[in-house]
Amino acid sequence: MAEKKMDSVRNFCIIAHIDHGKSTLADRLLEKTGVYEKREMVEQILDSMELERERGITIKSKAIRMNYIAKDGQKYVLNLIDTPGHVDFTYEVSRALAACEGALLVVDSTQGVEAQTLANVYMALEHNLEILPVINKIDLPSARPEEVRKEIEDVIGLPADEAPLISAKAGIGIDDVLEQVVKTVPAPVGDPEAPLQALIFDSYYDNYRGAICFVRIVSGTVRAGMTIRMMNSGAKFEVVEVGARSPDYMPLDQLSAGDVGYIAASIKDIHDTRVGDTITDDANPADEVLPGYRAVVPMVFCGIYPADGAQYENLKEALEKLQLNDASLTFDPETSQALGYGFRCGFLGLLHMEIIQQRLEREFDLDLITTAPSVIYRVHKTDGSMEEVDNPSNLPPAGNIDYMEEPYVSVSVHTPQEYVGALMEVCQGKRGEFKDMVYEGQHVCLHYDIPLSEIIFDFFDQVKSRSRGYASYDYELNGYRKSELVKLDMLLNGDMCDALSMIVHKDRAYARGRSIAEKLKDVIPRQLFEIPIQAAIGGKVIARETVKAMRKDVLAKCYGGDISRKRKLLEKQKEGKKKMRQLGTVEVPSEAFMTVLKMDE
Amino acid sequence: MILREIEMEISLYIHVPFCRHKCDYCDFYSLAGIEDRLQIYTEAVCRELRFRSVQYHHPRVRTVFFGGGTPTLLSGQMAEKIMSEIRSGYTLCDECEMTMEGNPGTLTAENLDAYRKAGINRLSLGVQSFSDTMLSAIGRIHTSREAEEAVHMARRAGFCNINLDLMYGLPGQDTGMLRETIRAALSLKPEHLSCYSLIVEEGTLLSERLNAGGGAALPDEDTVCEMEDVIHRCLKEDGYERYEVSNYAKTGFRCAHNIVYWECLPYLGIGPGAHSDCGGTRFSHPADLSSWTDHVMQGRMDALDEQEGTGSLQERRYERMMMGLRMTRGVDLRRFRQDFGLMPEKVWPRTIREMEEQNMIFTESGRLALTERGMDVMNYWLVRMIEEEEQAK
């Protein structure tokens, strides 16, 4: 059986620094190859979720097939695979890259090579992709394409003499890009007769067809009627349809080695279509799974509660709907004394958490209260047993705890040399343990072991601000370590508020407690009585602030003509109070629960 | 069966929407620099009064109030014309209180004399402050000296019921400055004092200036509270009784007209932008001098009123509390039950109970009244009442 070259197929992705024009270029390519008529183009097709478009982040990757007749008269099938662009989704990105042979590197000709440009190049190189620089926005007055061309060669070390000069926005040079893709991106190689190995790089839940897998066929062939098996999960399904999206589902007779497309197999649960898993033919299975698979597990947890308790069922339904499409989201019911009934939800990271939160609020019109994010701690008890705790309220009494462990991640920070010092400080400040430092030309890769709980706070912001955006990082869980952890409680008017509790490192507790107390003092409005706010560790108060009693809340003037206006004013005041939670005798605004999230010690 | 009209007793409010100069904090309907239209305005007021007297069958009038704007821009003759219209179309009660608001900067001895002769028996002067710095900071046209002079002039004209309006919490004001103003006010021995904490209304010159960070800043919440304490103390010592959130009077000199509002009794508003609650319905006029004048002069009265409905029972009883609790004597319980069929503690059981427990409210002589602390945080309780009623639904 021989490896075969699929001469008429090209699989590629687009990588770019944010705002350098990745999505616009994708749109132009789709338009040019007739996937979309110009008039039906909604801006930026690939980012179909409203939130994605707004935040300029591609959350889920997708693949679209284009038919292109090149200048040599040959017909080509071009598969454009879109990739998400945030550290929470690094793993998904890596799988999408593994499905490609080449990458278009879009560089803004007014900005030049930027932080994310580098980070993306590193990642593409790791997957041995052919990188094809494209210089964009040449129609702008401040464009300096030739300088940027040189920059690409000097800074990144990529030959750029043939880089097309384009304007995705104005539609200039799009043909050149397509020609280059055909010319430069290697044709995929694989044996269509070999046992099936298909890499799942994305999946999507369709209300009518169940979970649909987007795959890159590495070897073999898949067609309808075949019984397939997910090699890592073991689940088996009968294939209903194979095809490609362009942009609608376009059924094909088969997908074979080198192809990119979808497989529909009446899969009811999206958890059976794990990104990175290998699909094989159950009757004639491959010997090996494809490398790089990782079970995606949520690492960050928080409580999500409806601001209005009556919306509990709506929240549940909304979470169920989101989960259909998002295998990395988990949720379980939980109750809080302060917040009532809600869910403990698990996420890949903080961005993932924010996205879910915003989608719940926007797409399902829910008002939410979110508690401080937490990681999973391991609590070893004096009786020798071990418990995993992702909610501070569930921490056993201190007397029953022998010791605790917290998850660590190994973090790789890629940065230009000049920021090494600043970034080492950031890592050190996050209780990081230095592992090593590798020079890669102009760039440095720092390796640290850092507690995950430190990463989920403001590590991303700090890395970006201390390196002026040039550094990037990714991380991988690397086990648990013993750690001196304590439970920090907040007391309002003497009553503990479970929704504000958190597990923190002993050395951090005092500063955190003080800072949260100060912030709560600012966000809790004055009430009829003075409200003491205390931070406590195991019953010992470590910080105290006071919200003074409200002195005056009365309308100075109210006469005949004012009556309806003043009544409306009071009604408005009442509406404002609806955003408050009654905790015992204290009214706490929803944003108070967010203050523990926004730490800047 | 013969239906006899129940004779109504109402109060009259006449809105005079003219000013020499618009004050920086003012959001009432008034216009500066069009005093040439006072004559036609007077004409229109008389027309409307005539129309209303027929509409309401020559009602009895409890009180009359000229508010503004600056009613003292009316000439003696104009005031006389309006007053005689009132006398002919309405039956004035005995000792009917007839107030005219005025700006100290616009008073003349002749006008005062004429007002007096026309029947005006109470004068309410917008003094606001006795500090010239403060006065110019809020865009008043007069000086403290003129304010003092105005009071003396009014006394000479025979006014023996004078109110002074004061404001506190002004930009750049401190407690010491307020004390000075109180001292100056008390030395003039007014029968009545209204002391308002400044409300910065949206869309006013003052609010724009403050938002832009211009001029002196407002004193902070605690300072304003302190100022209020100073006012309470000083006025009490001088023999004034606080009978409403912002109003103080010597015995026998409470403002009967304003009490009509707080008791939720009927009143009829005449003039552009005026509100009425009369004959069980509420309505208002467009806050537009030209439109109002045109309607009245062309006899299109039916098109003039913007109906605001009768107000549901629920709204009415809530407003009775919202207004009535502003008075230190509180809400008349017998009337409350008569009008709404239930006592307040049945309508808002939880809130009223809590208020009692926390010593915020008490019942005395058939009236439900707020304690001093209760009055300070009145909005809190009023909001609670809305919430309770909503939850009960």
Side-chain angles (χ1 to χ4, degrees):
Chain A
M1 283 184 277
E3 298 249 304
K4 212 176 109 191
K5 224 170 161 183
M6 311 265 295
D7 281 322
S8 64
V9 177
R10 299 290 183 274
N11 300 320
F12 69 104
C13 58
I14 307 177
I15 55 181
H17 184 78
I18 190 158
D19 287 338
H20 278 199
K22 169 174 152 175
S23 301
T24 317
L25 177 58
D27 289 351
R28 286 297 163 267
L29 296 178
L30 299 177
E31 199 182 287
K32 200 83 192 177
T33 53
V35 171
Y36 290 98
E37 292 290 325
K38 199 164 188 171
R39 63 190 143 76
E40 43 171 56
M41 283 287 295
V42 184
E43 279 259 305
Q44 303 182 355
I45 297 287
L46 285 177
D47 292 347
S48 60
M49 277 193 273
E50 183 198 350
L51 196 67
E52 288 187 19
R53 212 171 304 157
E54 206 172 285
R55 300 187 64 158
I57 310 167
T58 310
I59 301 164
K60 297 284 285 178
S61 53
K62 288 159 217 76
I64 292 204
R65 171 173 294 213
M66 299 173 274
N67 291 308
Y68 177 63
I69 301 173
K71 291 201 173 123
D72 59 11
Q74 291 261 23
K75 271 191 181 176
Y76 290 91
V77 167
L78 309 182
N79 290 307
L80 170 57
I81 295 168
D82 201 20
T83 55
H86 186 274
V87 64
D88 284 359
F89 304 100
T90 314
Y91 171 67
E92 280 81 349
V93 177
S94 78
R95 295 306 83 202
L97 294 181
C100 302
E101 276 80 26
L104 289 176
L105 173 68
V106 183
V107 183
D108 184 329
S109 62
T110 67
Q111 310 276 331
V113 172
E114 298 231 39
Q116 202 89 57
T117 318
L118 289 176
N120 283 309
V121 168
Y122 295 138
M123 225 188 308
L125 287 176
E126 261 172 52
H127 290 87
N128 297 318
L129 300 192
E130 187 66 36
I131 300 175
L132 212 135
V134 172
I135 298 170
N136 192 17
K137 304 196 188 178
I138 56 154
D139 57 323
L140 295 183
S142 53
R144 38 183 185 89
E146 290 313 318
E147 273 174 57
V148 170
R149 199 194 289 278
K150 197 157 179 308
E151 223 173 274
I152 296 171
E153 294 184 339
D154 295 348
V155 180
I156 312 181
L158 282 174
D161 47 321
E162 285 186 45
L165 300 181
I166 70 158
S167 165
K169 200 158 182 200
I172 303 167
I174 307 304
D175 282 323
D176 293 349
V177 177
L178 289 164
E179 283 298 317
Q180 286 265 4
V181 168
V182 169
K183 224 170 83 187
T184 321
V185 175
V189 175
D191 179 0
E193 308 300 330
L196 177 66
Q197 278 179 313
L199 170 73
I200 303 179
F201 61 84
D202 192 14
S203 63
Y204 168 85
Y205 192 85
D206 181 294
N207 286 335
Y208 303 103
R209 303 148 174 255
I212 290 176
C213 307
F214 285 90
V215 295
R216 160 68 191 270
I217 311 293
V218 176
S219 64
T221 298
V222 62
R223 52 178 71 85
M226 205 175 204
T227 300
I228 51 168
R229 190 169 83 209
M230 308 297 178
M231 293 183 78
N232 286 294
S233 77
K236 288 181 202 174
F237 303 95
E238 193 186 316
V239 176
V240 175
E241 182 181 301
V242 300
R245 292 195 64 173
S246 188
D248 302 319
Y249 292 99
M250 181 178 76
L252 297 169
D253 294 339
Q254 60 178 49
L255 293 173
S256 54
D259 276 334
V260 166
Y262 69 85
I263 298 175
S266 299
I267 302 170
K268 298 218 172 42
D269 187 350
I270 194 132
H271 294 90
D272 286 327
T273 60
R274 298 181 193 161
V275 169
D277 205 344
T278 306
I279 295 177
T280 193
D281 179 357
D282 190 47
N284 178 22
D287 297 336
E288 283 179 4
V289 298
L290 295 166
Y293 172 75
R294 229 161 70 190
V296 175
V297 286
M299 300 214 261
V300 177
F301 296 80
C302 78
I304 294 185
Y305 291 81
D308 173 1
Q311 297 223 297
Y312 175 82
E313 280 300 322
N314 305 27
L315 173 59
K316 187 172 165 213
E317 272 170 39
L319 283 166
E320 279 165 357
K321 279 195 185 135
L322 289 183
Q323 201 185 37
L324 281 181
N325 244 324
D326 186 344
S328 41
L329 167 69
T330 64
F331 64 93
D332 290 296
E334 74 168 4
T335 49
S336 149
Q337 278 170 358
L339 303 175
Y341 293 98
F343 296 93
R344 176 115 308 228
C345 303
F347 309 94
L348 295 176
L350 225 47
L351 179 84
H352 187 211
M353 173 172 133
E354 272 173 46
I355 287 167
I356 294 291
Q357 226 170 289
Q358 290 188 13
R359 290 189 65 187
L360 287 171
E361 283 177 347
R362 260 189 235 179
E363 293 169 32
F364 299 92
D365 198 24
L366 293 164
D367 233 344
L368 304 174
I369 296 176
T370 314
T371 64
S374 170
V375 299
I376 301 181
Y377 295 97
R378 286 188 182 158
V379 182
H380 296 265
K381 299 203 279 190
T382 44
D383 64 6
S385 67
M386 192 272 282
E387 229 177 84
E388 290 199 333
V389 172
D390 62 24
N391 179 350
S393 305
N394 298 340
L395 201 66
N400 297 355
I401 299 174
D402 182 10
Y403 65 96
M404 281 166 73
E405 289 180 308
E406 65 175 325
Y408 268 68
V409 290
S410 30
V411 181
S412 316
V413 184
H414 297 267
T415 175
Q417 278 188 18
E418 61 253 57
Y419 306 114
V420 166
L423 291 169
M424 287 178 82
E425 253 174 56
V426 171
C427 294
Q428 234 63 283
K430 292 283 180 188
R431 295 192 279 135
E433 188 186 301
F434 176 79
K435 300 311 279 183
D436 65 5
M437 178 156 76
V438 181
Y439 285 86
E440 300 164 336
Q442 302 278 5
H443 305 282
V444 178
C445 184
L446 286 170
H447 294 280
Y448 270 87
D449 284 351
I450 301 180
L452 177 60
S453 64
E454 298 283 347
I455 299 280
I456 64 173
F457 274 109
D458 54 355
F459 189 69
F460 179 81
D461 296 340
Q462 283 202 28
V463 166
K464 290 295 170 191
S465 75
R466 298 294 294 273
S467 68
R468 294 209 247 124
Y470 277 92
S472 63
Y473 67 93
D474 55 54
Y475 59 84
E476 215 176 324
L477 209 54
N478 86 342
Y480 277 76
R481 294 194 193 176
K482 200 164 163 177
S483 185
E484 299 235 37
L485 299 163
V486 293
K487 179 165 171 251
L488 177 65
D489 292 318
M490 300 305 299
L491 288 80
L492 300 179
N493 204 19
D495 296 326
M496 195 189 85
C497 175
D498 60 359
L500 292 171
S501 295
M502 56 188 349
I503 295 171
V504 288
H505 191 263
K506 176 176 102 323
D507 296 346
R508 288 270 191 276
Y510 278 82
R512 277 261 159 95
R514 256 197 311 278
S515 153
I516 294 174
E518 275 165 25
K519 286 191 176 157
L520 286 175
K521 185 188 124 198
D522 292 337
V523 296
I524 296 177
R526 289 185 178 198
Q527 303 183 18
L528 282 188
F529 306 100
E530 179 178 290
I531 304 160
I533 300 171
Q534 293 157 300
I537 299 170
K540 186 177 158 231
V541 173
I542 57 163
R544 184 193 156 108
E545 294 284 339
T546 307
V547 179
K548 283 197 262 177
M550 170 209 302
R551 286 182 65 174
K552 295 270 146 89
D553 186 13
V554 57
L555 301 165
K557 256 183 167 178
C558 194
Y559 296 104
D562 295 328
I563 297 184
S564 345
R565 202 163 60 112
K566 295 290 157 76
R567 201 189 64 224
K568 281 181 191 129
L569 209 77
L570 291 165
E571 266 156 22
K572 226 166 109 191
Q573 202 170 334
K574 181 216 70 182
E575 284 308 314
K577 266 180 75 174
K578 270 198 174 160
K579 301 207 166 77
M580 306 269 237
R581 277 276 159 160
Q582 186 82 35
L583 300 189
T585 50
V586 186
E587 277 169 353
V588 182
S590 306
E591 68 255 39
F593 301 98
M594 294 304 284
T595 57
V596 284
L597 254 167
K598 308 232 148 66
M599 299 305 305
D600 39 39
E601 287 163 25
Chain B
M1 196 163 73
I2 302 162
L3 269 176
R4 268 196 55 185
E5 289 284 343
I6 297 166
E7 205 180 4
M8 270 217 308
E9 206 172 82
I10 62 167
S11 283
L12 280 176
Y13 174 79
I14 294 152
H15 191 68
V16 188
F18 300 91
C19 281
R20 275 280 147 75
H21 170 86
K22 186 111 180 152
C23 301
D24 297 357
Y25 54 85
C26 173
D27 77 330
F28 284 107
Y29 176 61
S30 91
L31 305 158
I34 49 152
E35 285 157 48
D36 54 322
R37 288 163 74 179
L38 271 163
Q39 198 62 50
I40 177 83
Y41 162 81
T42 306
E43 196 64 42
V45 167
C46 291
R47 288 263 189 122
E48 191 184 1
L49 280 166
R50 211 169 309 151
F51 171 81
R52 298 292 179 199
S53 86
V54 175
Q55 184 184 3
Y56 294 108
H57 311 285
H58 307 280
R60 287 170 59 80
V61 168
R62 231 189 284 259
T63 62
V64 178
F65 196 101
F66 288 81
T70 308
T72 46
L73 285 177
L74 292 170
S75 68
Q77 222 178 356
M78 293 168 179
E80 167 50 34
K81 199 165 173 211
I82 295 171
M83 288 301 291
S84 62
E85 190 65 52
I86 293 172
R87 265 181 245 281
S88 65
Y90 303 78
T91 312
L92 295 183
C93 299
D94 296 342
E95 293 178 32
C96 178
E97 177 193 280
M98 294 191 266
T99 306
M100 185 172 281
E101 274 187 339
N103 186 311
T106 63
L107 290 184
T108 64
E110 298 75 48
N111 278 354
L112 283 170
D113 204 44
Y115 299 155
R116 191 76 199 88
K117 291 210 170 86
I120 302 293
N121 53 23
R122 184 171 182 270
L123 203 60
S124 173
L125 295 175
V127 169
Q128 318 309 358
S129 171
F130 282 96
S131 146
D132 289 342
T133 332
M134 281 296 108
L135 288 171
S136 72
I138 55 175
R140 298 290 296 183
I141 56 167
H142 59 88
T143 60
S144 60
R145 191 61 201 271
E146 280 175 297
E148 281 164 19
E149 194 40 49
V151 175
H152 295 316
M153 234 190 312
R155 293 289 187 212
R156 283 197 295 271
F159 282 97
C160 46
N161 185 355
I162 296 179
N163 166 57
L164 302 182
D165 274 354
L166 299 178
M167 285 174 101
Y168 61 96
L170 300 173
Q173 192 181 40
D174 63 30
T175 313
M177 294 160 93
L178 177 70
R179 278 179 198 278
E180 285 302 315
T181 281
I182 297 172
R183 196 168 307 146
L186 292 179
S187 72
L188 295 169
K189 303 201 176 309
E191 283 70 27
H192 189 285
L193 279 161
S194 299
C195 302
Y196 301 114
S197 140
L198 172 70
I199 304 173
V200 181
E201 300 282 2
E202 250 174 74
T204 57
L205 209 62
L206 179 65
S207 117
E208 279 167 31
R209 189 164 60 222
L210 289 168
N211 285 341
L218 295 174
D220 64 32
E221 195 188 330
D222 286 334
T223 309
V224 175
C225 291
E226 214 175 284
M227 290 178 171
E228 197 159 312
D229 292 342
V230 167
I231 292 169
H232 287 189
R233 227 172 316 118
C234 292
L235 300 199
K236 194 172 177 183
E237 277 167 21
D238 223 69
Y240 292 86
E241 181 210 11
R242 182 193 194 195
Y243 70 99
E244 193 258 1
V245 173
S246 306
N247 284 281
Y248 302 80
K250 293 273 187 183
T251 312
F253 288 97
R254 293 176 187 174
C255 176
H257 184 82
N258 286 337
I259 287 176
V260 163
Y261 297 134
W262 298 320
E263 291 285 3
C264 298
L265 293 167
Y267 55 92
L268 187 59
I270 306 289
H275 291 254
S276 301
D277 185 358
C278 204
T281 64
R282 286 201 174 127
F283 52 94
S284 61
H285 297 154
D288 180 328
L289 179 60
S290 305
S291 158
W292 170 80
T293 311
D294 290 350
H295 276 91
V296 174
M297 296 313 275
Q298 293 162 20
R300 292 184 288 123
M301 302 298 292
D302 48 335
L304 182 65
D305 299 343
E306 283 169 36
Q307 293 298 332
E308 289 167 358
T310 51
S312 66
L313 177 98
Q314 202 186 330
E315 268 169 29
R316 289 267 179 190
R317 73 185 175 199
Y318 178 74
E319 286 166 8
R320 182 71 63 84
M321 298 293 273
M322 177 180 113
M323 299 306 276
L325 291 176
R326 297 183 65 81
M327 295 181 288
T328 48
R329 70 179 184 197
V331 175
D332 181 339
L333 288 171
R334 205 169 57 95
R335 237 186 93 220
F336 190 96
R337 192 168 54 189
Q338 219 165 44
D339 294 346
F340 307 117
L342 281 174
M343 290 296 252
E345 73 252 32
K346 287 278 185 284
V347 184
W348 303 281
R350 219 163 1 113
T351 311
I352 305 272
R353 189 173 357 104
E354 246 183 81
M355 290 176 84
E356 279 166 352
E357 280 165 9
Q358 294 180 26
N359 203 22
M360 300 277 177
I361 207 166
F362 62 97
T363 308
E364 201 176 271
S365 327
R367 301 187 75 110
L368 185 66
L370 293 175
T371 60
E372 210 168 301
R373 172 71 180 150
M375 196 167 278
D376 281 347
V377 293
M378 182 173 161
N379 282 1
Y380 172 83
W381 295 111
L382 288 172
V383 168
R384 286 284 304 274
M385 286 181 200
I386 306 182
E387 286 175 331
E388 182 169 357
E389 219 160 335
E390 220 167 59
Q391 282 158 7
K393 252 193 265 172

